[in-house]
């Protein structure tokens, strides 16, 4: 007997959570039973609703509905039974019966809410699950509040409510801009959102602006809640200018006596932050400056320093601006000059070099279970390999096998755990980099064994062809690239003479390369990744030494900003962002209440707090003697 499986993703974020609904009745048998129902053959019950009636088989409905099972098994009569359900429409009953017979029905945005309610009413748990899956897929910045409210109405929809709320928090910036429903909710629900540590925003200014919009919606009633709202906003994380102009001097705040203590506390904190000095006391992080928790973390894996490869793993917490050492190194040993790719919660490490061996081996790290395992090796050894992900498959391009610079390309399918050779690139490229954008893979720069390259090309999987594209403005080997805002960004690298701090972006529409602002640090063989809508450049080699420096690029202002240095100095590392980890707290800075103290220690690294205390005591004694 054939076994049919229906697999559905539980949400729109590709969590890799699959809900399998299994039936062990062949499709032919299901269709035959449904045809018998439609022809009123051997039907032994009639289900009536207010605008229609349906001939059914009691056994079929009883098999998947607790409601009908209780109804029909109370009577052993062989006579045809009539059942009337007054609160259900015929169109909904048609879908319920279709699901009972075929394990499938039409679920769409116009009927899913009613269908879920009625499926619960008749105790059809399988259909309830499918409806919740459809609702989860319907989550958008505009719809999430409506789905949250709907889910809160049913005791069995706690999981859907949690999913909708997580979506809201994760996409807060878009929700605040597009969703008018957020202005209609009450104080308690509004505070529940803005006070949540998981509210995903790097700018508390946006939270404050939303608070003002919420008050403006019903100013006479809501203005009195301003002190409570201000307690929910992390005022100490705002820029001093915004706080002074938009908060302290806001008309609502000026008129609110209860808000003054919080204004004074924030002013005092911002002043102390600006005028921080050596002190003999720990500097705690106040609640008004406690950073929220991120929804994504960046992993920096492996690398090279001091003539040896490294197995270190660090994650970057964007909200705290801290790198965190993660004790989950690969037991198979370190690697550098490798490639990495993320699919779901798995980070794939491809090829590389350990100082002795050029690898064709590949390893995968499960960021949820924190375990490593081996996957199928590539056909070729590849050090200095370029790696990109497209349509759920991993591409490994070029590299160096210990003898030759390669132009060959192979593709890995996680489903089959197999590598397949595809059309090679037009150029040999090791020490290049690649990324995917709009269904194509772009490979740039590199070294062909004789010279550093400025050439670039793209791959179209629909034609299995590589096509040359305009050259970059600079030759770049040891470069890094990312796809960002419909452009390909390349930065840094080595031009044959010096390490570069320059960067440029490529527009596939105009086929033009344009320079962007230079980095603070020239570097090659470094990590480059997008997190928090910024491009981060991490570590690398500046031509003289391996560097720990991290800096981030803001496209809006075309500028780079310094960020916290790596804990482990290295080049030839990789950087990847993983989103939505259920155990994200394992990868973020733990002692957030000590962030201000850590800042003080970084600003005054040579100051010993005990020495300071002793100096104060000594000064007091000298003053006492002088006074006597």
């Amino acid at each position: 007997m054939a076994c049919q499986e229906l697999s559905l993703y539980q949400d729109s974020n590709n969590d890799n959570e699959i809900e399998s609904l299994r039936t062990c009745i062949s499709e032919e048998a299901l269709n035959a039973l449904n045809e018998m129902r439609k022809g009123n053959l051997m039907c032994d019950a009639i289900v009536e609703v207010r605008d229609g009636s349906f001939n059914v088989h009691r056994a079929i409905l009883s098999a998947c509905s607790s409601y009908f099972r209780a109804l029909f098994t109370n009577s052993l009569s062989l006579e045809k039974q009539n059942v009337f359900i007054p609160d259900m429409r015929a169109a909904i009953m048609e879908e319920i019966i279709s699901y009972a017979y075929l394990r499938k029905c039409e679920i769409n945005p116009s009927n899913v809410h009613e269908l879920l309610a009625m499926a619960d009413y008749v105790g059809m748990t399988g259909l309830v699950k499918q409806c919740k899956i459809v609702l989860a897929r319907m989550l958008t910045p505009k719809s999430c509040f409506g789905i949250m409210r709907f889910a809160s109405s049913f005791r069995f929809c706690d999981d859907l409510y949690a999913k909708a709320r997580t979506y809201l928090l994760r996409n807060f910036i878009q929700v605040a801009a597009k969703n008018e429903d957020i202005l209609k909710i009450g104080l308690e629900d509004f505070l529940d959102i803005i006070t949540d540590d998981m509210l995903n925003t790097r700018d508390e200014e946006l939270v404050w602006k939303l608070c003002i919009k919420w008050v403006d919606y019903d100013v006479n009633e809501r203005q009195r809640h301003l002190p409570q709202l201000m307690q929910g906003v992390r005022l100490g994380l705002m820029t001093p200018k915004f706080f002074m102009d938009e908060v302290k001097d806001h008309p609502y705040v000026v008129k609110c006596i209860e808000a003054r203590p919080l204004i004074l506390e924030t002013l005092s904190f911002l002043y102390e932050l600006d005028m921080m000095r050596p002190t003999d006391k720990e500097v705690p992080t106040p609640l008004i400056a406690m950073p929220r928790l991120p929804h994504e973390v960046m992993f920096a894996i492996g690398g090279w320093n001091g003539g040896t490869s490294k197995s270190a793993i660090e994650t970057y917490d964007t909200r705290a601006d801290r790198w965190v050492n993660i004790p989950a190194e690969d037991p198979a040993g370190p690697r550098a000059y490798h490639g990495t790719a993320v699919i779901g919660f798995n980070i794939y490490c491809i090829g590389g070099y350990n100082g002795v061996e050029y690898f064709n081996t590949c390893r995968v790290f499960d960021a949820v279970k924190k375990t490593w395992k081996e996957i199928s090796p590539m056909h070729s050894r590849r050090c200095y390999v370029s790696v990109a992900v497209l349509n759920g498959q991993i591409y490994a391009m070029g590299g160096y096998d210990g003898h030759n610079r390669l132009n060959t390309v192979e593709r890995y399918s996680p489903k089959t755990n197999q590598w397949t050779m595809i059309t090679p690139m037009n150029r040999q490229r090791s020490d290049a980099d690649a990324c995917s954008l709009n269904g194509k893979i772009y490979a740039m720069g590199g070294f062909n064994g004789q010279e550093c390259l400025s050439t670039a090309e793209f791959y179209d999987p629909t034609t299995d062809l590589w096509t040359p594209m305009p050259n970059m403005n600079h030759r770049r080997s040891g470069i890094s690239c990312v796809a960002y805002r419909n452009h390909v960004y390349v930065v840094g690298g080595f031009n044959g003479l010096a390490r570069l701090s320059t960067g440029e972006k490529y527009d596939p529409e105009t086929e033009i390369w344009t320079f962007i602002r230079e980095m603070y640090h020239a570097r090659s063989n470094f990590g480059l990744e997008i997190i928090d809508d910024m491009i981060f450049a991490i570590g690398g080699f500046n031509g003289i030494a391996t560097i720990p420096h991290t800096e981030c690029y803001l496209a809006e202002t075309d500028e780079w900003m310094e960020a916290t240095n790596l804990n482990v100095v290295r080049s030839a590392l990789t950087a990847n962002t993983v989103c939505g980890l259920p155990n994200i707290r394992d990868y973020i800075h733990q002692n957030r209440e000590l962030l201000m103290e850590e800042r003080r220690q970084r600003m005054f690294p040579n100051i010993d707090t005990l020495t300071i205390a002793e100096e104060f005591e000594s000064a007091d004694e000298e003053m006492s003697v002088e006074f006597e």
Side-chain angles (χ1 to χ4, degrees), residues 246-260:
E246 303 293 334
V247 181
K248 174 180 172 293
D249 293 335
H250 193 283
Y252 293 162
V253 177
V254 171
K255 293 187 293 184
C256 183
I257 297 175
E258 294 86 353
R260 291 177 186 174

Side-chain angles (χ1 to χ4, degrees), residues 402-539:
H403 302 284
N404 301 299
R405 312 289 166 171
L406 307 175
N407 70 337
T408 57
V409 182
E410 43 192 308
R411 178 172 58 205
Y412 176 76
S413 169
K415 292 182 179 179
T416 62
N417 189 28
Q418 293 294 322
W419 288 95
T420 304
M421 300 300 297
I422 63 171
T423 301
M425 295 182 290
N426 297 305
R427 300 292 185 99
Q428 295 169 297
R429 299 181 191 275
S430 73
D431 243 1
D433 202 11
C435 62
S436 60
L437 175 65
N438 297 331
K440 296 179 176 63
I441 292 176
Y442 293 82
M444 279 76 61
F447 182 65
N448 64 5
Q450 296 178 329
E451 61 179 347
C452 298
L453 304 174
S454 62
T455 60
E457 52 191 301
F458 69 85
Y459 175 76
D460 187 339
T462 61
T463 60
D464 190 27
L465 291 175
W466 287 92
T467 303
M469 50 190 274
N471 288 359
M472 296 180 291
N473 292 301
H474 285 169
R475 295 177 182 270
R476 299 178 189 272
S477 175
I479 70 165
S480 291
C481 72
V482 292
Y484 180 60
R485 298 188 177 184
N486 289 317
H487 287 73
V488 175
Y489 283 73
V490 299
V491 293
F494 178 59
N495 65 3
L497 297 173
R499 266 67 191 180
L500 304 175
S501 60
T502 60
E504 47 191 303
K505 63 180 180 180
Y506 177 74
D507 185 345
E509 294 293 323
T510 63
E511 299 185 348
I512 294 175
W513 288 96
T514 307
F515 280 113
I516 64 171
R517 183 74 61 87
E518 292 189 18
M519 295 183 289
Y520 290 110
H521 305 279
R523 60 180 95 206
S524 66
N525 299 104
F526 58 100
L528 193 73
E529 181 59 300
I530 299 166
I531 188 170
D532 221 4
D533 200 31
M534 296 180 286
I535 300 175
F536 280 76
I538 306 135

Side-chain angles (χ1 to χ4, degrees), residues 5-11 14-22 129 133 137 163 415:
E5 176 176 324
L6 176 61
S7 297
L8 296 168
Y9 285 91
Q10 287 186 305
D11 63 28
N14 295 326
D15 286 347
N16 288 335
E17 291 182 40
I18 298 177
E19 183 69 26
S20 296
L21 304 173
R22 299 176 184 273
K129 288 181 181 178
I133 290 168
R137 288 175 171 172
K163 198 177 292 290
K415 292 182 179 179

Side-chain angles (χ1 to χ4, degrees), residues 90-342:
I92 297 300
M93 179 54 73
E94 179 68 48
E95 301 304 335
I96 287 176
I97 292 175
S98 175
Y99 181 81
Y101 278 81
L102 302 175
R103 294 301 184 271
K104 61 183 180 181
C105 62
E106 179 67 28
I107 307 175
N108 55 57
S110 63
N111 74 359
V112 63
H113 298 85
E114 185 180 5
L115 187 57
L116 185 148
M118 291 297 100
D120 175 62
Y121 179 81
V122 298
M124 202 169 278
T125 57
L127 184 52
V128 167
K129 288 181 181 178
Q130 286 209 49
C131 288
K132 289 196 289 186
I133 290 168
V134 171
L135 282 167
R137 288 175 171 172
M138 288 167 53
L139 286 168
T140 67
K142 288 186 176 181
S143 70
C144 58
F145 262 108
I147 293 174
M148 268 182 64
R149 281 199 304 267
F150 175 78
S152 67
S153 304
F154 299 95
R155 67 189 185 284
F156 57 89
C157 282
D158 289 347
D159 54 344
L160 178 62
Y161 177 88
K163 198 177 292 290
R165 193 174 189 280
T166 298
Y167 180 93
L168 185 158
L169 296 172
R170 184 176 296 162
N171 299 276
F172 169 74
I173 295 174
Q174 294 87 350
V175 172
K178 299 179 181 179
N179 196 308
E180 294 296 321
D181 290 342
I182 197 170
L183 304 179
K184 302 173 185 177
I185 62 177
L187 174 66
E188 185 176 344
D189 290 335
F190 188 78
L191 284 174
D192 187 51
I193 293 168
I194 67 168
T195 58
D196 199 304
D197 280 342
M198 292 300 294
L199 193 69
N200 191 21
T201 178
R202 72 170 187 252
D203 297 319
E204 286 295 317
E205 288 89 343
L206 293 175
V207 186
W208 173 252
K209 289 177 180 178
L210 182 63
C211 289
I212 296 302
K213 284 177 64 177
W214 185 83
V215 173
D216 287 341
Y217 189 82
D218 187 359
V219 64
N220 293 331
E221 169 61 25
R222 295 177 173 179
Q223 191 171 350
R224 60 191 174 92
H225 299 310
L226 192 66
Q228 292 169 274
L229 299 177
M230 293 178 68
Q231 292 283 352
V233 183
R234 316 289 166 95
L235 299 174
L237 298 179
M238 295 177 174
T239 63
K241 184 179 188 314
F242 184 91
F243 176 76
M244 298 298 290
D245 295 346
E246 303 293 334
V247 181
K248 174 180 172 293
D249 293 335
H250 193 283
Y252 293 162
V253 177
V254 171
K255 293 187 293 184
C256 183
I257 297 175
E258 294 86 353
R260 291 177 186 174
L262 193 56
I263 293 295
L264 292 174
E265 180 187 354
T266 307
L267 285 171
S268 176
F269 169 77
L270 293 174
Y271 175 78
E272 291 174 3
L273 189 66
D274 187 53
M275 302 297 292
M276 186 173 284
R277 297 182 176 87
T279 175
D280 62 329
K281 296 180 181 179
E282 272 194 359
V283 180
T285 306
L287 292 177
I288 60 170
M290 192 69 69
R292 299 182 190 269
L293 305 181
H295 282 254
E296 53 187 4
V297 291
M298 182 163 58
F299 285 74
I301 297 178
W304 186 268
N305 189 16
T308 60
S309 55
K310 303 294 180 183
S311 56
I313 300 178
E314 295 180 61
T315 54
Y316 180 68
D317 181 340
T318 55
R319 298 291 179 260
D321 184 27
R322 293 292 187 276
W323 286 98
V324 180
N325 292 319
I326 304 299
E329 297 177 359
D330 188 350
R335 63 179 71 204
Y337 300 104
H338 55 293
T340 49
V342 171

